[in-house]
Each structure stands twice: as structure tokens, then as C-alpha cells.
Amino acid sequence: MPVMNIQDFSFTYPNVSHPSLKNINMKIRKNKITALIGPSGCGKSTLLRSMNRIHDLYPGNRYEGTIDLLNDSTQKMENILDIKKENEFIELRQRVGMIFQKPTPFPMSIFDNVAYGLKIAGIKNKSELAGRVEQALKDGALWKEVNDRLDKSAMGLSGGQQQRLCIARAVAVKPEVILFDEPTSALDPISTGAIEELLVELKKDVSIAIVTHNMQQASRISDYTAFMYLGDLIEFDKTESIFLNPKEKQTEDYITGRFG
Amino acid sequence: MEKIFRNLAFSSASLVFVILIGIFITLFLASKDSIDEFGLGFIVNPNWNTEISLSNPNANMDMDMDMDDSSASDDMMMLDDEDDMPAEADTMLFDEDVKDTFTEYGGLVPIVGTLLSTIIALVFALPIAMGIAVFLAEIAPKNIAYPIGIAIELLAAIPSIIFGMWGLYYFAPIVADLVGGYQVSLLTAGLVLGVMILPFMAAITRDSMNTTPDVLKESAYAMGATKFEVIKDIIFPYSKVGIIGSIILALGRALGETMAVAFLIGSIFTLPSSITDPTISIPVAMANNFGEAAGLGESSLFYLALILFIISFAIISIAKLYFLRGAK
């Protein structure tokens, strides 16, 4: 079942005449990992950043088509491109979390980092906060490493721990979808492995879209893969089909390493 | 080559210490007469260039004790102005009939004036500077932020005497109309001082806010934070060091500012009973009185300079140690 349905979607950056994404059609399925792969500049990050409208922090972008997001309570699809008010943006971003390429711990303690999303969502009860933070840190596979220093600054953690902290922070607000923008490209192989395990674990609760430069990573963890090239979606299918039996010549060339 | 370069760099760096210690020693030596004469009591003594009657024998004895180790020439100098100067200072102690006076110097008024005008300036400028910085760094679109940023930098480039004249002729009457009191007062001096340090604080704070990585802000927005929450929870903590640095620089400027304050503070050695009263600050006292000062008066001005030096040094060190440690 799709939680996000992208139809005829085109995106143009401000002060640019030609669109960076052209006629994208794909789905993010519930409790699955969908990988977006393709060479640099193909638009995979641009597409990911459209899914929570984070582009709109900078004015002047143009969207066409629709991105429908499943509303859990009504089971109806709602077009997130219609959002205009700030409180709707806030609600969207609470439902669609995002993890960035570099770890982004906030300049505060480990506890406050994880509690941040909860606090700004209006949860004030201390014991509830403590419970949710503990659960989120466990979900982020970080609890054992940090439970004795929750009040210490998050800046003191290693890169891999910081990235898992960011994941815990995103998980804490119980989003429906989490978008990962090359979450392991700044990490060493061991931290990368930990994050990959974590993603597979997390898909029980959330639907995941991940942009990755690393094709092995896509084949290891994803259920669906989209191959993009120069702003077009070339092929979107189950990961096995893309890697074992690609229909398009370009896809085959890319995954066999002939270009990109 | 490597060695020469290293030595050059090292000696440039040590020059700072040499200058700092040199200034301190010079100030200390020049103010030694006054320190010997008045001791630490100088700091809490509100009288400046006041002739004190020495007819009270008890007070006399105290003075004598203090003066014991200072040379006779001191006594000569401090009594310079008096017509009935005795040939030997000591004779006055035993001559009850001669009504004698003694010129006293105390630093309380300028010290209080300096500290209060600086505090007023800071209280006035800090919130406005933060507002300007937040507006320029986060809220204003580029085509508005750019000209305002230039205007702020130009404001910082205006010589202080212009601020003084503008303050005296145009700003002070308005302030006096609004809050009452004198046109030349602690309040008007503090406010004009505030206007002067405003551009520094705003510009440095804006620059340090601009160093907040975009991805960190995006990451907070991606959690559902509002612009206000991002500014409060991410940008301010992230740029704390820069903001404190801007406050320290502004403090340094406000404490030492002479010209603009000289126009506006009133330059009288009286303790203000309210912030709309005129008083004097340390730099103004020095600028106004060096011309005709001699002997103990001159030495007392150096004593004031030493105190200003210590105050600035202490405030900046405390701010650095305390806040920057807290920031880590």
C-alpha cells in the first residue's frame, strides 16, 4: 500500500528556466524502504526534498503535478503540494521526518535533542517526555551507549552516534515517513553498517525513502529502487528486478558500473 | 627560514603582552602618589578636588599617618593652590589657630558614572541589536538585508564627536521632553552611547548568526519547528560565542568612550540621584582635567585611568571566562 504517491511531478528551482525534475511517477510503499539512486545531479535529492516541502524554506520554487500523502486517520490521500499555511507545513514535517547527509545534532544535550520535536509539538509532561526519549533512543540503537550521559552535549558523540541520535530524534515524534538524504556518506563502514541495520529495523514502524550514492547499500536494504538520470525517473521497480533484471539499458549501464 | 618566521611570529605575539604590562606599569607609577595618598578609599570617596578643612585634629592625625612615607614634595604640591601655605607641612599639625585646608581627590563619581552609563547603553542596545541581527540574518529577504547591513556598518563608522553633537543638540532635548530631568544626564549619555555600540553588536551578531550551517536550520525545520523556534533554539545557541564577543567589544568601547559622553554627561563631579541627573565618567574626567592638572590632581587622574584599565580588563576577563566556558 502506498503512503506517498507521486504523479506527473515536475520541479523547477527559482530563476531557472528548465525543470530539474520532469514527470516523475512513483510510490513510497508502507513499511518498505524505497531507494533513490542515480549519478550526481540526477535530481534524487531534489525529489526527496520535495516530499516534505523543505524546498519551501527558500522562496521561488515551482511545483507541478501531485504528491499525495496518506492521511492515517481518514485513510485518504492528500496532496502536499497544496499546503500553504505555516501550521500545515509544521504538521507535514512532523509526519514526514528527514535525516541529512551530515549528522545535525542541535547545540544542546542528548536528551534535549531527542525531546526537541516532542517539546515543540507541545508535550510538556516530564515523565512522558522521559519515556518517549528513552524509547526513541532504543529505536535509534543508541540507548545503551548514552543512557548514562543524557545531560551531556550531543556535540561530544562520534559521527555515527550523532547520526543515530538524529534518527532517534526523528523517530521520537512518530512520523509516518522518514526521508534519508545519503545518511551514511559521511560515516565510516562500521557506522554505516549500524545505520543500515537500524533502517531495516525501523521499517516495521515507518515507511522509508533513502537517497544513496552507494548501489550496494540500495541493494542490501531497499525493497524498491528508483533509478534517476538527469531529472527523469528512468526505472522504478522492486529492488531485485532493478538489480538483476533491469528493463532499461541506462539502468543496466549504471548498475553494472559502465557510467555514473 | 622556518626559525626566523617562528621567531617573528612569536615576538609579534609577545609584543601584546609587553604593551599590556608596560601600560599597566606606567599607569601604576604615574598614579603612585595618589595611591599612596588616598589608598583604596579613593574608589569610594565622592569628593574630587574638594578642599577639606584640617581643623579637626583627629582627622589630621589620620592624614598624617597616611602621609608618613610619601615625600615632602607631595605635601607641597597638594597645597600648591593655597595662599597661606606653610613652609613646613608638619607645622600645621601643632598650630591649631591656622585654619588649613587640604585638597582631596576621590574617584567614586566618575567610576559610578562610567559604570552606569555603560549599563544604560548595554540595556538599551542589546535587545535592539539582537532584533536587527535576527532580522538581517533570518527574516529579511536579501535585497532588503543588504542595504540595511550597509547602513549599519556606516553607522559604526561615524566618528564619536558627531554622535556627541547630534546627541546634545537633537537627541537630548527629545529625551528630556519625554522623561523629564536634565538634557545632559546619565540617561542621554547612556542612550547615545547605546546608539554608538548598536551597529557593532548588530553587525557582529549578524555575522555569527550567518555562520549557523543551513543544514542545521533545515534539520530543525524538518522537525516541524517554526522560524521563531529555530532562531531561539538553534541559531542563538549556535552563535552564542559570537554574540558574547560582540557584547565584550561593545562594552570595551562604551567604557572608554570619551567624546560623545563628554558632550552629554554634564561633566560635574556629583553623584547622580537619578538617571536623569548629570554626572561624569572616567574618560571625560581625564579629558576635561588633564590640561590644568598638576601634582596630586594629575596623579589622581592617572589613578582613575588605572581603575578604568582594571575595570575593562576585569569585565572582559570575567565575560570571557564565565560565558565562554558556559558555551562549551
Side-chain angles (χ1 to χ4, degrees), chain B residues 211-265:
Chain B
T211 62
T212 313
D214 279 344
V215 68
L216 201 60
K217 289 186 255 174
E218 282 177 8
S219 168
Y221 283 118
M223 302 285 302
T226 59
K227 193 155 224 164
F228 174 73
E229 285 160 343
V230 172
I231 291 168
K232 170 171 74 78
D233 299 325
I234 310 300
I235 295 173
F236 263 106
Y238 194 87
S239 44
K240 202 162 148 191
V241 173
I243 294 172
I244 291 164
S246 80
I247 296 174
I248 292 173
L249 275 181
L251 261 179
R253 174 146 198 210
L255 283 172
E257 177 52 40
T258 312
M259 229 37 242
V261 180
F263 270 86
L264 284 154
I265 203 162

Side-chain angles (χ1 to χ4, degrees), chain A residues 25 40-41 63 101 174 219 246:
Chain A
N25 285 285
S40 295
Y63 299 95
Q101 192 167 350
K174 300 208 161 92
S219 68

Side-chain angles (χ1 to χ4, degrees), chain A residues 72-166:
Chain A
D72 250 0
S73 48
T74 60
Q75 295 298 315
K76 275 189 192 144
M77 300 297 271
E78 290 163 2
N79 185 3
I80 65 167
L81 299 182
D82 291 339
I83 289 176
K84 286 192 180 67
K85 293 189 199 127
E86 191 179 24
N87 57 341
E88 291 173 325
F89 274 118
I90 290 169
E91 195 211 332
L92 169 68
R93 286 165 193 160
Q94 282 166 346
R95 289 168 62 197
V96 183
M98 190 167 208
I99 305 295
F100 296 82
Q101 192 167 350
K102 279 195 189 135
T104 53
F106 297 152
M108 47 181 93
S109 74
I110 294 171
F111 183 93
D112 288 339
N113 259 282
V114 182
Y116 188 71
L118 301 169
K119 279 183 184 161
I120 60 176
I123 297 173
K124 291 195 180 78
N125 184 318
K126 284 216 170 109
S127 60
E128 188 186 352
L129 275 179
R132 296 269 300 259
V133 168
E134 179 175 344
Q135 189 53 48
L137 282 169
K138 282 175 177 163
D139 291 342
L142 196 61
W143 176 251
K144 279 183 195 149
E145 292 159 58
V146 301
N147 63 26
D148 55 341
R149 48 170 172 155
L150 292 176
D151 56 340
K152 296 274 170 5
S153 168
M155 304 299 193
L157 298 173
S158 73
Q161 287 174 324
Q162 287 184 354
Q163 194 62 300
R164 276 179 284 148
L165 179 76
C166 294

Side-chain angles (χ1 to χ4, degrees), chain A residues 7-21:
Chain A
Q7 285 173 312
D8 304 323
F9 177 67
S10 298
F11 178 86
T12 314
Y13 278 110
N15 309 320
V16 179
S17 54
H18 64 281
S20 301
L21 294 173

Side-chain angles (χ1 to χ4, degrees), chain A residues 172-187:
Chain A
V173 293
K174 300 208 161 92
E176 293 147 36
V177 183
I178 301 183
L179 312 171
F180 290 83
D181 192 354
E182 300 187 38
T184 60
S185 63
L187 303 179

Side-chain angles (χ1 to χ4, degrees), chain B residues 55-68:
Chain B
S55 54
N56 182 343
N58 289 334
N60 223 342
M61 289 306 285
D62 289 342
M63 292 297 176
D64 192 38
M65 301 292 277
D66 284 340
M67 288 191 281
D68 261 352

